[in-house]
Amino acid sequence: MKNIKKIMLLKFYFLASVSMLLFSACSNDEGGSSSSGKLAVTGISKSVIDDPLVEGDRQVDVPTDVINAGNTYIIRGSGFATLQSISFNGLESSFNPTLVTDNVIVISVDQDTPYFNEMDELKIVTKIGTLKYTVKVRPPSPTISGFPINPNPGDIITIKGEYFLRPIVNFGTTAVEPISSTLTEITVKVPADILYKKLSVTNVSGTTVAGQTFGSAIYDDAYTSLRSYDGLWDATNPYDTAYDKDPKQGSKSISWKAGQWNGLYIGIDNSKFDISKYKGIRISLKGQNSGSVGVFINGNDKIKPVINFSSDWTYVEILFNTLDSPTELTQITFQEFGGKEGGNTIFIDDLGLILK
């Protein structure tokens, strides 16, 4: 699977190509501050086409006759300099004026753009007039909001998310026929040999790969078999491992009302996984208030990275090479580090391991 560095490089290449595109367009339209007087669309390109299941297939600025909500497009034509609004199937998408010239509009199509039984219409409004242009508008690529990360072969599981329109489900490279599906849920039977593989869902618009690897969860709506024990430095701190409001992954998270400088520890059964397959720990955190926690492993509090978080979910990766490259993982400890009297209520979700 493609890693974060490749995704960031992709974004860099795209932004660089857009900058060159706009520079060229501005050179050709006398600075881009005035309109040519003719409002027209001559073509539409998708900014990036990149199947996450296929290495080396990235393409930039690819002509298309289909708009998928939630994606970025390059619209070419003329008369765009005084752009006032742009909409798809009646819903306006916000635009950045610095990404508009008289001949080019670079636009991220709103994720909520309607697509079912609609008019398939792009509407551009400028000071010189209004243009309606027919183009097929389709749903975004699927989103995956929850699924059992440590299932057993043969289990019947439910994948939750959005835009599951004619979905194709893969466990690694193994395709599985859905038992049933709606736009927000897919029920499938787990195949054999899924350890160290990832879930992907493909719809009519594209493919999304889940960030978690099968078998890697320490907490996923509940502690998994990778956890051997857990506890608090101060047992009077309220501690709920099945908090069911606003989870990051699945349907539950951990709620811990942590006193100032108090700790939560989780014992890990390292006999149930091969640590050499993993490069670190992943975790999602948020607080009732902005704050921070110190994290250390195996009882060694001399190496304690500090993680800052807000009242929104923050995803963090803690790499083993920053934790003295352990050869085993036996315990993870979180210490309230906000330093405020009274501590903080800290929420923890999607705690697990990151595949190399």
Side-chain angles (χ1 to χ4, degrees):
M1 297 298 173
K2 299 183 176 181
N3 58 31
I4 292 175
K5 287 183 179 179
K6 290 183 179 177
I7 293 171
M8 294 304 294
L9 189 60
L10 182 156
K11 291 180 178 178
F12 171 79
Y13 284 143
F14 169 60
L15 290 174
S17 65
V18 167
S19 297
M20 293 175 63
L21 173 73
L22 293 174
F23 178 79
S24 174
C26 286
S27 298
N28 293 330
D29 68 15
E30 298 180 354
S33 60
S34 62
S35 173
S36 65
K38 180 181 178 182
L39 185 57
V41 171
T42 58
I44 300 174
S45 295
K46 192 170 185 179
S47 63
V48 175
I49 292 181
D50 191 22
D51 187 336
L53 299 180
V54 179
E55 293 284 351
D57 70 324
R58 181 185 61 83
Q59 300 177 69
V60 176
D61 195 1
V62 181
T64 183
D65 61 355
V66 178
I67 295 290
N68 297 119
N71 287 273
T72 301
Y73 291 86
I74 302 165
I75 301 171
R76 289 182 170 85
S78 59
F80 304 149
T82 58
L83 181 66
Q84 295 177 316
S85 70
I86 181 168
S87 60
F88 299 84
N89 283 349
L91 182 70
E92 284 193 23
S93 289
S94 299
F95 67 91
N96 183 343
T98 64
L99 298 180
V100 178
T101 72
D102 195 47
N103 300 114
V104 174
I105 302 171
V106 179
I107 184 76
S108 292
V109 181
D110 194 290
Q111 181 89 7
D112 295 325
T113 297
Y115 59 87
F116 186 71
N117 289 336
E118 299 292 335
M119 69 282 277
D120 285 346
E121 180 185 88
L122 160 63
K123 182 179 178 181
I124 296 173
V125 179
T126 73
K127 290 181 180 180
I128 65 171
T130 297
L131 171 68
K132 293 182 179 179
Y133 182 84
T134 300
V135 60
K136 295 188 284 286
V137 179
R138 298 296 179 259
S141 297
T143 62
I144 301 172
S145 61
F147 67 99
I149 299 171
N150 291 16
N152 296 308
D155 286 353
I156 305 297
I157 67 169
T158 298
I159 304 164
K160 296 184 178 182
E162 291 187 286
Y163 312 113
F164 295 152
L165 189 63
R166 297 199 293 275
I168 299 170
V169 179
N170 277 271
F171 290 73
T173 57
T174 302
V176 176
E177 186 73 23
I179 297 170
S180 64
S181 68
T182 68
L183 287 176
T184 58
E185 291 190 356
I186 307 171
T187 302
V188 293
K189 184 177 181 179
V190 178
D193 191 26
I194 62 169
L195 191 61
Y196 309 127
K197 296 180 180 178
K198 288 189 175 183
L199 171 74
S200 67
V201 178
T202 301
N203 70 1
V204 296
S205 300
T207 298
T208 297
V209 181
Q212 305 90 340
T213 307
F214 285 115
S216 67
I218 298 169
Y219 178 89
D220 176 31
D221 288 351
Y223 284 120
T224 71
S225 63
L226 298 190
R227 162 269 200 187
S228 55
Y229 60 86
D230 63 285
L232 302 170
W233 290 357
D234 184 343
T236 66
N237 291 173
Y239 175 47
D240 182 0
T241 61
Y243 186 72
D244 62 0
K245 295 179 178 62
D246 188 31
K248 178 64 171 68
Q249 200 302 124
S251 60
K252 295 181 177 65
S253 66
I254 295 170
S255 171
W256 169 38
K257 190 173 177 59
Q260 185 179 10
W261 309 116
N262 284 346
L264 161 64
Y265 55 88
I266 303 165
I268 308 299
D269 186 348
N270 75 127
S271 68
K272 294 188 176 180
F273 64 92
D274 180 359
I275 196 172
S276 69
K277 300 281 188 182
Y278 296 102
K279 63 181 180 180
I281 301 164
R282 69 172 188 273
I283 184 173
S284 291
L285 292 165
K286 72 172 184 173
Q288 181 174 309
N289 303 301
S290 297
S292 58
V293 293
V295 181
F296 57 96
I297 64 170
N298 302 344
N300 179 12
D301 64 355
K302 294 180 180 178
I303 303 174
K304 189 185 299 185
V306 177
I307 300 171
N308 299 314
F309 55 82
S310 69
S311 56
D312 295 319
W313 285 109
T314 299
Y315 173 77
V316 178
E317 295 185 353
I318 307 169
L319 301 183
F320 287 138
N321 61 17
T322 67
L323 298 170
D324 207 22
S325 301
T327 57
E328 63 177 5
L329 179 63
T330 59
Q331 188 181 90
I332 303 172
T333 302
F334 302 97
Q335 184 180 5
E336 197 283 323
F337 246 51
K340 296 179 181 178
E341 186 175 354
N344 197 359
T345 299
I346 299 171
F347 303 93
I348 298 171
D349 202 2
D350 193 23
L351 173 62
L353 303 167
I354 313 163
L355 195 68
K356 287 181 177 177

